[in-house]
Amino acid sequence: MMTGKEIRDKYLKFFASKGHKILPSASLIPHNDPSILWTAAGMVPFKPYFTGAAKPEVTRVTTCQKCLRTPDIDSVGRTARHHTFFEMLGNFSFGDYFKNEAIPWAWEFVTEYLGLEPDKLWISIYEDDDEAFNIWHNKVGIPENRIVRMGKDTNFWEIGVGPCGPCSEIYYDLGAGRGCGSPDCAVGCDCDRYLEIWNLVFIQFFRDEEGNYSPLQNKGIDTGMGLERVASVLQNVKTNFDTDLLRDIMDFTGDLTGKRYGSSAEVDLALKVIADHSRAVTFAIADGAFPSNEGRGYVLRRLLRRAVRFGLVLGVEEPFLYKVAGAVIDKMGDTYPELVKNSRLITRVIRTEEERFGETLAQGTDILNKLIQEAKEAGINYIDGGQAFRLYDTYGFPVELTQEIAAENGLSVDEEGFTNAMEQQRQRARSARQETEYLSEKAARLKSVLDQVGETVFVGYETLSGKSRIKAIFANDEVVEQAEAGQDVELVLDITPCYAESGGQVSDHAKIIAESTEVLIEEVTRPVEGLHLHRGRVTGGVIRVNDAVEVQVDARRRMNIARNHSATHLLHKSLKEVLGDHVNQSGSLVTPDRLRFDFTHFAAIQPDELARVEKTVNDAVLSNLQVETMETTLDEARSMGAMALFDEKYGDRVRVVKMGDFSLELCGGTHVKSTAEVGMFKLLGESSVGSGLRRVEAVTGEGAMDYLRAKEEQLDLIARTVRAMPHEVVHRVETMAQELRALEKEAEALRARLARFEVQSMLDGAREIAGIKVLAARTSATDMDSLRAMLDLLRDKLGSGVIMLGTAAGGKVNLVAGVSKDLVGKGLHAGKLIKEIAPLVGGGGGGRPDMAQAGGKDPSKLDNALEKVYALVSKQAGQ
């Protein structure tokens, strides 16, 4: 039997023998691609090469790409093939070979290297792709009756504007026993008989905005073979989960939980989901994702909690998934060394999230108990489906657990309402989900401009000004020949000293000057490789294509940015020294005013640790370390010990920034010439931005001076306020605080005495209505807490009776009502009482039969409203 690892190795070595460069898998977090959350296909890292937006270093590449998709998350474990995490084998050509090579190589690999029986293989092609048909039939020798022509919906790859082309797929016939039994069962049927194992996409057309197709000059190949699928065929098992790629993890989980795979459908489903999701979360965390409440962090949290919920099915209530992650690392760490490198981080993040989820489950139980109580009070015998879904979606509370607890209380769950709410969420997710696009419409136009005018030469490392020429002008997203004062424009120059936003560093601001013309540039981007786009406004004259201009970068702004950027490098190293080597940068923002730095860490940073980090950075600043930059190979940079960011994709040539012997990082940003130019470094604080993820903010240079100046002004103001010299402020404030606490204690005692007098006065005003003692009165209480405390005091004194208290403060009304238990049994209801009184003061509220509260907006009506309480009590008593 061929293992998954052997299949992976065979594939990569086969295409290496065909002149392909084997590249390691890219990160699951797409590099510089905000349109997608995850790398969901083998071609995602190579999108710029297919479009021409970037130039590949080699034209033939092969990879085994780790992928993550979640649209079909609820199908995982219920079908033979659905996964969230999977491995995609692929070979790619960027303007090199085409169908004549790709098709025979595919056939050679599956038949000769994998040993699949030719008579069990079927081929699909796009219905009009005669070229592919001729190669498959005449060159490879596939019988005509095993080549199936299929329509555009299945065998033509395109998404919007950009490169596109027909597909050809290789199917394996698993036999009639795996089919649906229909006489029409054939390639393309939804049943499991014909399994697609490899898709070849022929990128040969460009689709424009009008839907016209034109041949590409440089054609491309993009193929994808699912490793789990082909392993299931070669290992002769019914599902992907029965392959060694997943079965080993399932068996580990079974041993851990005392459950055996194959013992029941419920156990099998749980083991499958845990195996799949544990791979997904392990790889995602290794690549720098962390659980949170938004974006990819939310996806990661959902996967992790879903796996934990299925652990409950196996009877596991303690954290366990971090141990399963360890099994994933043991299984796949030799192929993906990032798992081993980040193993401690992975297990700590997962265990922390599991422990937090335990608290969330407790919170969900409390909410469910309230829903049960409300349903009983309302006389309803079921839990609303929408509420059950909110528990499931927001708090991760399993619907099965909701059903079980509800049943113990004699209630059911509205399953139809739950299903509808879940389907609505799926529809929202589908509509919001952005497809994997090769190129947006605007980027396609920019690529066309790049082809016409050539690349922008960036000279901003060496100079802050220079001569240039306008090569293209965009106004309102349209290419124009000129623009006048008052117009917003985007300019393409042949040479620029302006740094484009990248790597967390904001772009330069600049002026573009030509005789009587001036353009103020407020943003510079690099939407396609080799092209800088300068966005700004024409403030004088007319700017034209081919105008000779001078570009002047805002030097003061650039220097402030450089100070903050260099400080992030010093900060990164200092955090590692103080907190530990597990600290890794996971994001940053560098602006002229301040810097923000996100990094991996598991607890709040203690004040003494923050002080040590700040001192370490400032020591490096005062050491006046020389800041050097150099270009070298990626391998050489790594051998030097240079730190690299988790989500950056680097070419063979990289830029290294060295600060003495203190810091060495790969970085394309702008920096000071020596650390002394950073000036003073001041941490502003730290916070949590997700499970295992912390954030610090800081200022340097001018920003630090402004910060200190503001602190001095605050200190002077406090000194004047407390009538002390600045150096005496602390002692004076401490003395005043002690005096204040003494006064508050005295005031509290006085308030308590006053309340007792007020209570007695109000009790004297109680009336008897239909044999019931009723008290409705305005009080001096200032807030709802005080009002409820007053209610409790009166209830103890009054005994059996009805109480309604009201207070008016700050233009608002607060009301609270109480009914003694003996009267609740006779039909009196505080919630119903307050629902009728609250509208009289412009408000609303409600509550339990024994206690209720409300608010209102019209204090002028409070006395009249309280007077009506007596009539309402009489009415309730009569009923």
Side-chain angles (χ1 to χ4, degrees):
M1 181 185 79
M2 199 179 296
T3 66
K5 186 178 188 307
E6 289 169 339
I7 299 168
R8 190 190 297 119
D9 291 344
K10 272 183 181 290
Y11 185 95
L12 297 176
K13 289 176 181 177
F14 172 80
F15 280 101
S17 73
K18 304 296 185 183
H20 292 65
K21 182 175 182 178
I22 300 175
L23 293 182
S25 172
S27 170
L28 280 176
I29 300 174
H31 169 64
N32 279 344
D33 192 346
S35 69
I36 49 177
L37 289 179
W38 304 102
T39 298
M43 53 69 57
V44 169
F46 307 118
K47 285 166 60 174
Y49 301 155
F50 283 114
T51 63
K55 295 179 181 177
E57 287 146 10
V58 294
T59 56
R60 296 184 180 188
V61 165
T62 185
T63 64
C64 183
Q65 177 62 49
K66 49 194 176 186
C67 300
L68 200 155
R69 297 178 186 173
T70 57
D72 299 311
I73 185 172
D74 292 317
S75 298
V76 171
R78 303 180 190 278
T79 69
R81 316 290 171 208
H82 282 105
H83 297 291
T84 57
F85 176 87
F86 58 95
E87 296 178 82
M88 183 71 78
L89 298 161
N91 58 286
F92 306 90
S93 166
F94 314 120
D96 190 329
Y97 63 85
F98 200 48
K99 296 178 189 177
N100 267 314
E101 295 80 12
I103 290 174
W105 287 342
W107 185 256
E108 179 184 357
F109 180 72
V110 297
T111 56
E112 296 182 24
Y113 285 77
L114 296 185
L116 295 180
E117 309 93 314
D119 60 352
K120 290 190 176 181
L121 295 173
W122 289 71
I123 308 299
S124 74
I125 61 171
Y126 176 53
E127 56 192 359
D128 294 334
D129 194 357
D130 293 332
E131 181 184 13
F133 175 84
N134 289 330
I135 297 171
W136 280 117
H137 182 51
N138 299 323
K139 188 171 183 178
V140 176
I142 307 297
E144 184 174 352
N145 66 340
R146 289 219 312 278
I147 302 175
V148 182
R149 293 181 183 262
M150 302 181 77
K152 196 172 185 178
D153 57 334
T154 60
N155 278 60
F156 193 94
W157 192 94
E158 65 176 350
I159 298 180
V161 172
C164 56
C167 310
S168 182
E169 298 156 322
I170 301 177
Y171 288 82
Y172 185 83
D173 183 1
L174 294 169
R178 301 285 294 278
C180 57
S182 169
D184 299 325
C185 184
V187 169
C189 183
D190 289 335
C191 71
D192 281 343
R193 173 170 179 174
Y194 296 96
L195 179 65
E196 178 200 332
I197 59 171
W198 202 348
N199 187 17
L200 316 178
V201 181
F202 309 125
I203 308 299
Q204 64 186 93
F205 299 112
F206 186 93
R207 185 181 188 272
D208 63 22
E209 293 91 335
E210 286 74 39
N212 301 313
Y213 298 87
S214 55
L216 287 171
Q217 182 178 355
N218 295 315
K219 298 177 174 61
I221 293 292
D222 160 20
T223 84
M225 173 186 277
L227 177 59
E228 291 81 3
R229 285 192 174 207
V230 74
S232 72
V233 173
L234 292 168
Q235 294 174 19
N236 193 30
V237 292
K238 289 187 176 182
T239 78
N240 294 358
F241 293 94
D242 295 297
T243 68
D244 71 303
L245 293 164
L246 285 138
R247 181 61 188 269
D248 292 348
I249 301 169
M250 291 164 62
D251 288 344
F252 175 88
T253 307
D255 292 341
L256 188 67
T257 61
K259 303 294 182 181
R260 186 172 56 83
Y261 180 57
S263 61
S264 73
E266 184 180 48
V267 167
D268 289 358
L269 174 62
L271 291 173
K272 289 175 180 178
V273 170
I274 292 167
D276 173 272
H277 290 9
S278 64
R279 295 206 307 171
V281 299
T282 299
F283 275 88
I285 294 169
D287 281 347
F290 291 89
S292 69
N293 288 327
E294 59 184 11
R296 62 176 62 92
Y298 176 76
V299 174
L300 177 57
R301 174 164 284 168
R302 186 184 177 202
L303 287 168
L304 198 153
R305 291 186 170 186
R306 193 167 188 265
V308 172
R309 290 204 310 269
F310 275 94
L312 294 174
V313 174
L314 301 178
V316 185
E317 296 184 359
E318 297 299 318
F320 76 99
L321 194 65
Y322 74 97
K323 297 178 182 177
V324 183
V328 174
I329 294 169
D330 291 342
K331 174 75 178 175
M332 307 182 77
D334 57 344
T335 302
Y336 298 99
E338 64 269 25
L339 297 181
V340 178
K341 178 184 176 184
N342 295 297
S343 60
R344 183 168 174 266
L345 171 69
I346 293 165
T347 53
R348 285 195 67 176
V349 169
I350 293 176
R351 180 162 192 173
T352 299
E353 185 69 12
E354 286 188 273
E355 290 168 350
R356 289 183 177 177
F357 184 41
E359 297 169 3
T360 300
L361 278 175
Q363 183 181 12
T365 302
D366 290 341
I367 294 172
L368 177 56
N369 288 336
K370 289 179 182 177
L371 292 175
I372 290 170
Q373 182 180 348
E374 290 173 4
K376 288 182 175 180
E377 289 177 358
I380 300 172
N381 62 358
Y382 63 89
I383 300 296
D384 177 74
Q387 294 283 14
F389 178 75
R390 185 174 72 88
L391 272 173
Y392 165 78
D393 190 51
T394 305
Y395 298 97
F397 206 76
V399 68
E400 295 82 8
L401 197 54
T402 300
Q403 291 170 326
E404 182 179 324
I405 295 173
E408 291 172 358
N409 288 271
L411 303 177
S412 62
V413 174
D414 171 21
E415 293 186 30
E416 183 178 350
F418 179 88
T419 303
N420 289 339
M422 177 172 280
E423 184 56 33
Q424 287 172 14
Q425 189 213 50
R426 284 178 182 155
Q427 303 258 354
R428 288 192 295 271
R430 289 189 197 109
S431 62
R433 193 169 64 244
Q434 293 174 290
E435 299 289 350
T436 304
E437 294 183 83
Y438 270 17
L439 200 63
S440 69
E441 294 184 21
K442 184 171 182 180
R445 289 197 295 271
L446 290 171
K447 174 58 175 61
S448 177
V449 169
L450 178 64
D451 291 340
Q452 294 171 21
V453 305
E455 295 186 356
T456 304
V457 178
F458 174 61
V459 295
Y461 292 138
E462 298 81 25
T463 182
L464 296 181
S465 64
K467 303 293 183 183
S468 186
R469 188 172 294 278
I470 305 295
K471 303 303 291 184
I473 302 173
F474 286 85
N476 296 321
D477 283 340
E478 298 295 331
V479 177
V480 297
E481 289 298 311
Q482 66 179 43
E484 301 176 352
Q487 282 190 275
D488 293 325
V489 294
E490 293 172 308
L491 307 178
V492 178
L493 310 179
D494 62 347
I495 300 171
T496 184
C498 297
Y499 180 84
E501 181 174 343
S502 179
Q505 177 178 328
V506 298
S507 72
D508 284 330
H509 287 180
K511 285 183 181 179
I512 294 179
I513 302 169
E515 297 180 359
S516 62
T517 301
E518 183 181 80
V519 184
L520 293 182
I521 300 301
E522 296 182 346
E523 184 181 25
V524 185
T525 59
R526 195 169 54 199
V528 294
E529 188 173 321
L531 185 143
H532 281 55
L533 199 61
H534 305 71
R535 182 176 294 114
R537 171 165 287 200
V538 182
T539 56
V542 178
I543 193 83
R544 297 179 177 86
V545 173
N546 289 324
D547 277 356
V549 296
E550 182 177 351
V551 186
Q552 299 174 352
V553 171
D554 183 335
R556 183 172 179 176
R557 173 186 165 87
R558 165 73 81 87
M559 186 59 183
N560 286 333
I561 293 172
R563 288 187 178 109
N564 285 332
H565 199 154
S566 295
T568 62
H569 287 222
L570 301 175
L571 174 62
H572 192 182
K573 184 59 183 293
S574 298
L575 286 165
K576 280 182 173 289
E577 288 195 356
V578 173
L579 302 179
D581 200 51
H582 65 276
V583 167
N584 283 303
Q585 180 177 348
S586 63
S588 68
L589 176 65
V590 179
T591 74
D593 306 315
R594 65 175 55 201
L595 65 94
R596 188 180 75 204
F597 192 82
D598 296 344
F599 59 97
T600 53
H601 190 54
F602 305 98
I605 308 176
Q606 298 304 307
D608 65 308
E609 293 174 323
L610 282 173
R612 286 163 55 200
V613 169
E614 185 174 275
K615 184 179 186 303
T616 304
V617 174
N618 279 313
D619 286 347
V621 170
L622 293 172
S623 298
N624 193 25
L625 305 173
Q626 290 302 114
V627 178
E628 306 171 71
T629 60
M630 65 194 84
E631 277 203 3
T632 184
T633 65
L634 180 58
D635 290 341
E636 178 62 25
R638 284 176 171 153
S639 70
M640 293 164 60
M643 288 190 289
L645 300 189
F646 73 88
D647 62 348
E648 288 286 346
K649 182 176 175 62
Y650 299 101
D652 281 348
R653 301 293 296 178
V654 294
R655 185 170 181 261
V656 179
V657 177
K658 182 176 184 290
M659 299 182 183
D661 293 327
F662 186 76
S663 171
L664 192 69
E665 288 195 35
L666 303 185
C667 180
T670 61
H671 290 274
V672 296
K673 294 179 181 177
S674 77
T675 57
E677 291 184 328
V678 169
M680 185 179 68
F681 173 88
K682 182 62 186 172
L683 280 171
L684 301 181
E686 74 95 33
S687 60
S688 170
V689 288
S691 180
L693 197 62
R694 309 298 298 182
R695 170 175 293 171
V696 291
E697 297 188 61
V699 287
T700 68
E702 291 185 13
M705 294 299 293
D706 291 342
Y707 174 82
L708 284 182
R709 192 177 302 111
K711 289 295 182 185
E712 284 185 344
E713 290 173 356
Q714 287 179 338
L715 180 59
D716 289 342
L717 178 60
I718 295 169
R720 290 195 301 271
T721 302
V722 301
R723 298 179 182 180
M725 298 296 291
H727 66 277
E728 298 172 336
V729 162
V730 174
H731 176 69
R732 177 65 178 140
V733 170
E734 286 177 345
T735 301
M736 293 177 70
Q738 289 175 355
E739 294 171 353
L740 180 61
R741 284 193 291 272
L743 289 171
E744 286 177 343
K745 190 174 181 180
E746 184 180 344
E748 182 61 34
L750 289 171
R751 279 195 294 270
R753 290 179 62 190
L754 182 62
R756 284 196 295 273
F757 283 121
E758 188 177 3
V759 164
Q760 189 56 54
S761 176
M762 284 191 288
L763 286 172
D764 292 341
R767 304 180 195 175
E768 189 166 309
I769 306 294
I772 298 168
K773 285 185 285 185
V774 182
L775 172 60
R778 178 195 285 259
T779 84
S780 61
T782 56
D783 55 38
M784 187 61 81
D785 288 339
S786 301
L787 203 59
R788 285 195 294 264
M790 182 73 76
L791 175 71
D792 291 339
L793 196 57
L794 284 165
R795 195 152 42 183
D796 290 341
K797 298 284 187 182
L798 188 66
S800 175
V802 176
I803 302 171
M804 175 79 75
L805 301 180
T807 184
K812 295 182 180 179
V813 174
N814 284 326
L815 293 167
V816 65
V819 175
S820 57
K821 290 185 178 179
D822 61 314
L823 296 179
V824 168
K826 295 180 179 180
L828 275 77
H829 196 294
K832 293 178 180 178
L833 189 63
I834 212 160
K835 279 184 179 180
E836 295 204 48
I837 294 297
L840 301 178
V841 291
R848 303 189 307 269
D850 62 324
M851 203 282 281
Q853 64 187 47
K857 302 175 182 177
D858 191 350
S860 68
K861 303 287 180 59
L862 176 58
D863 292 331
N864 289 336
L866 290 170
E867 186 61 33
K868 289 188 179 294
V869 170
Y870 299 104
L872 288 173
V873 171
S874 176
K875 181 180 176 183
Q876 278 197 14
Q879 291 174 347

